[in-house]
């Protein structure tokens, strides 16, 4: 069985065809990105471009993309961001949906959260969810003001974003954070009193406590259970069942949880080691 | 330690706390006879006054601003007398720190109010 869900920012497919007493269903969210080069004006080899694409912001030196540098950058972006987000969560099926029979025993699979990033040049022929513009920074530059629709060639590299309470650097690759936004994830401290709802890009929203600073939707690279919310929301939308605010509905886990029998679901038993069946 | 030495140390400490700029402790201990000129620096020179105010803000940012990455300070703009907005470029945003300061004729700077805001980009 395959069920699909189309949203403006991504598509999702729930596939249960592989399910058996050991194998969970797979929910794959796919984001299609159209990449667009930003090159120096008038065909020049070098030029400048302003942070955030805002002419009031500082200008940085940029180089013209070459075919090789462009293809290599796109490939690295897609592969590394997909690797970061793919297969990291399992959703616990407490609804007894998608059940299957094996030797007269009913099993309830959980859901493995998969992620696919498809990137191609932004052309009218490629139907993308988002278009990303990219500048190629000159070697003399170390930083460019980017955001979820405007990247620079250094955004796939790990850089220090902040420090923790002991003064240790917190490293992050900007593109995985931005892909988190494309999935629909907010900053780590959104919803907390120090993060103003009117301005969720405020610096406090990137984490105040060390544990939040180190989160990928803060300043670091660590996943949190709440980062599974796009997949949880997709399950809720596909089955029109559940509530994202209820922890028991499609509970996210960061380790593999095997399918359960009805009795195990009822007793709320979780199975993290391959059972003998 | 002589009493005068103690006084000099106390003076230097006090000056460090108030961030009276351009007055190195060594220079101060040798320049007491010029103290009238030094003391009036900020009354007589707008540049000295700006220097003291900007140094105060930069020291405060160094000590208290937690986001070490990004593009650094992209702008320091005076919006009113003794009120400055410091912009710090970060991914997705510009953090803005608004300082309201007071300063006396001796270049002693005091923080009246500090507010944080953000200019958003993207999303």
């Amino acid at each position: 069985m395959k069920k699909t869900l189309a949203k403006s920012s991504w598509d999702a497919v729930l596939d249960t065809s592989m399910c058996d007493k050991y194998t969970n269903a797979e929910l794959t969210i796919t984001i299609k990105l159209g990449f667009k080069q930003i090159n120096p004006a008038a065909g020049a080899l070098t030029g400048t471009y302003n942070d955030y694409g805002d002419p009031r912001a500082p200008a940085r030196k940029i180089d013209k993309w070459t075919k090789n540098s462009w293809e290599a950058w796109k490939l690295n972006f897609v592969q590394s961001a997909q690797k970061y987000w793919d297969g990291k969560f399992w959703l616990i099926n407490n609804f007894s949906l998608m059940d299957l029979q094996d030797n007269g025993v009913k099993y309830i699979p959980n859901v493995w959260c998969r992620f696919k990033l498809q990137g191609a040049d932004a052309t009218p022929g490629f139907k993308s969810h988002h278009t990303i513009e990219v500048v190629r920074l000159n070697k003399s530059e170390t930083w460019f003001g980017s955001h979820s629709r405007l990247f620079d060639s250094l955004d796939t590299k790990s850089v220090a974003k902040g420090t923790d309470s002991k003064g240790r650097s917190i490293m992050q690759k900007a593109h995985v954070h931005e892909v988190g936004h494309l999935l629909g994830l907010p900053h780590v401290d959104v919803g907390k009193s120090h993060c103003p709802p009117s301005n969720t890009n405020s610096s406090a929203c990137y984490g105040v406590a060390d544990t939040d600073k180190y989160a990928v939707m803060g300043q670091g690279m660590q996943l949190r259970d709440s980062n599974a919310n796009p997949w949880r929301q997709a399950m809720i939308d596909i089955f029109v069942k559940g509530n994202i605010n209820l922890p028991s509905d499609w509970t996210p886990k960061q380790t593999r949880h095997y399918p359960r029998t009805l009795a195990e679901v009822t007793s709320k038993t979780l199975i993290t080691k391959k059972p003998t069946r | 330690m002589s009493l005068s030495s103690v006084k000099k140390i106390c003076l230097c400490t006090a000056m460090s706390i108030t961030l009276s700029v351009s007055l190195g402790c060594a220079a101060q201990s040798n320049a007491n006879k010029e103290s009238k000129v030094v003391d009036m620096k900020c009354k007589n020179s707008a540049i000295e006054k700006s220097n003291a105010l900007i140094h105060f803000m930069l020291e405060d940012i160094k000590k208290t601003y937690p986001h070490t990455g990004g593009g650094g300070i992209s702008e320091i703009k005076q919006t009113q007398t003794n009120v400055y907005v410091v912009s710090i470029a970060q991914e997705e945003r510009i953090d803005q720190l608004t300082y309201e300061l007071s300063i006396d004729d001796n270049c002693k700077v005091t923080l009246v109010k500090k507010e944080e805001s953000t200019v958003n980009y993207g999303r």
Side-chain angles (χ1 to χ4, degrees):
Chain A
M1 176 194 81
K2 279 189 181 180
K3 285 179 179 280
T4 59
L5 178 69
K7 295 203 167 209
S8 60
S9 51
W10 43 258
D11 298 329
V13 177
L14 174 67
D15 188 353
T16 60
S17 62
M18 71 289 287
C19 290
D20 61 27
K21 57 189 175 182
Y22 300 114
T23 310
N24 290 310
E26 291 188 14
L27 173 65
T28 304
I29 288 181
T30 301
I31 293 180
K32 292 179 185 170
L33 289 182
F35 292 112
K36 195 174 172 187
Q37 295 180 5
I38 291 182
N39 283 310
L45 292 177
T46 60
T48 60
Y49 203 74
N50 300 83
D51 287 347
Y52 322 108
D54 182 344
R56 297 165 300 178
R60 315 288 176 186
K61 282 184 192 167
I62 63 167
D63 292 340
K64 187 177 182 179
W65 285 100
T66 61
K67 189 173 186 295
N68 284 348
S69 63
W70 179 241
E71 295 302 326
W73 187 87
K74 282 189 301 180
L75 186 67
N76 181 40
F77 182 103
V78 167
Q79 287 184 342
S80 56
Q82 179 173 296
K83 187 179 174 191
Y84 180 84
W85 287 103
D86 179 38
K88 300 299 172 69
F89 301 105
W90 284 259
L91 306 181
I92 304 301
N93 181 0
N94 290 323
F95 293 106
S96 302
L97 294 163
M98 306 176 287
D99 58 301
L100 60 109
Q101 294 274 348
D102 189 312
N103 276 334
V105 180
K106 197 178 257 190
Y107 292 96
I108 313 296
N110 296 311
V111 177
W112 189 21
C113 302
R114 308 300 307 270
F115 178 65
K116 197 183 279 183
L117 192 58
Q118 291 179 348
D121 286 346
T123 58
F126 180 63
K127 252 186 133 182
S128 63
H129 295 106
H130 312 277
T131 300
I132 306 285
E133 295 183 310
V134 193
V135 297
R136 186 183 180 207
L137 282 185
N138 183 272
K139 275 183 186 168
S140 63
E141 298 285 4
T142 57
W143 188 84
F144 174 81
S146 54
H147 53 69
S148 61
R149 303 283 192 280
L150 173 63
F151 283 72
D152 67 73
S153 48
L154 296 180
D155 278 338
T156 52
K157 298 194 182 304
S158 184
V159 299
K161 281 288 166 66
T163 50
D164 66 13
S165 59
K166 290 179 179 163
R168 291 175 297 209
S169 290
I170 302 173
M171 309 298 286
Q172 186 179 67
K173 292 179 181 176
H175 74 310
V176 297
H177 175 100
E178 299 303 338
V179 168
H181 284 316
L182 297 180
L183 281 164
L185 294 170
H187 288 132
V188 65
D189 275 2
V190 168
K192 295 184 180 173
S193 59
H194 55 255
C195 173
S198 59
N199 184 2
T200 57
N201 262 12
S202 157
S203 65
C205 304
Y206 291 74
V208 172
D210 281 354
T211 184
D212 296 323
K213 285 181 180 178
Y214 275 105
V216 67
M217 296 317 291
Q219 302 160 46
M221 287 294 282
Q222 294 177 0
L223 287 167
R224 298 286 178 260
D225 286 351
S226 60
N227 298 148
N229 277 355
W231 288 270
R232 291 180 69 216
Q233 189 61 56
M235 290 304 293
I236 290 166
D237 291 346
I238 286 170
F239 285 106
V240 198
K241 204 166 189 176
N243 182 337
I244 197 87
N245 296 316
L246 291 178
S248 60
D249 292 0
W250 304 109
T251 309
K253 300 286 182 187
Q254 293 187 49
T255 51
R256 181 174 178 178
H257 282 61
Y258 288 87
R260 298 180 290 175
T261 62
L262 269 180
E264 288 163 341
V265 171
T266 306
S267 64
K268 295 181 180 172
T269 303
L270 297 174
I271 302 167
T272 54
K273 284 183 183 169
K274 190 174 181 180
T276 307
R277 286 172 167 160
Chain B
M1 188 181 285
S2 69
L3 187 59
S4 65
S5 299
V6 172
K7 278 182 183 169
K8 279 178 191 170
I9 291 168
C10 290
L11 177 62
C12 287
T13 307
M15 290 179 71
S16 300
I17 291 168
T18 57
L19 291 169
S20 298
V21 294
S22 307
L23 296 176
C25 290
Q28 175 69 11
S29 61
N30 293 329
N32 284 339
K33 55 188 171 188
E34 294 172 3
S35 61
K36 278 185 184 171
V37 177
V38 171
D39 285 347
M40 301 304 281
K41 256 185 169 178
C42 279
K43 185 176 184 185
N44 297 327
S45 169
I47 297 300
E48 287 292 347
K49 188 178 160 189
S50 299
N51 185 43
L53 291 166
I54 290 169
H55 267 265
F56 180 93
M57 293 184 289
L58 294 178
E59 284 297 319
D60 182 69
I61 289 167
K62 232 165 78 174
K63 285 178 194 160
T64 63
Y65 184 72
H67 305 281
T68 49
I73 293 171
S74 57
E75 186 177 64
I76 300 175
K77 186 178 180 182
Q78 188 184 36
T79 56
Q80 293 175 46
T81 303
N82 296 344
V83 177
Y84 289 82
V85 178
V86 182
S87 298
I88 305 172
Q90 295 288 354
E91 304 286 8
E92 315 179 302
R93 71 188 197 277
I94 296 174
D95 287 341
Q96 292 192 318
L97 305 171
T98 302
Y99 287 90
E100 187 177 340
L101 306 167
S102 71
I103 184 166
D104 68 13
D105 292 345
N106 300 322
C107 296
K108 181 186 171 185
V109 180
T110 310
L111 178 65
V112 177
K113 197 163 76 179
K114 179 180 163 186
E115 285 179 352
E116 293 178 24
S117 59
T118 310
V119 177
N120 291 318
Y121 289 97
R123 284 208 303 146

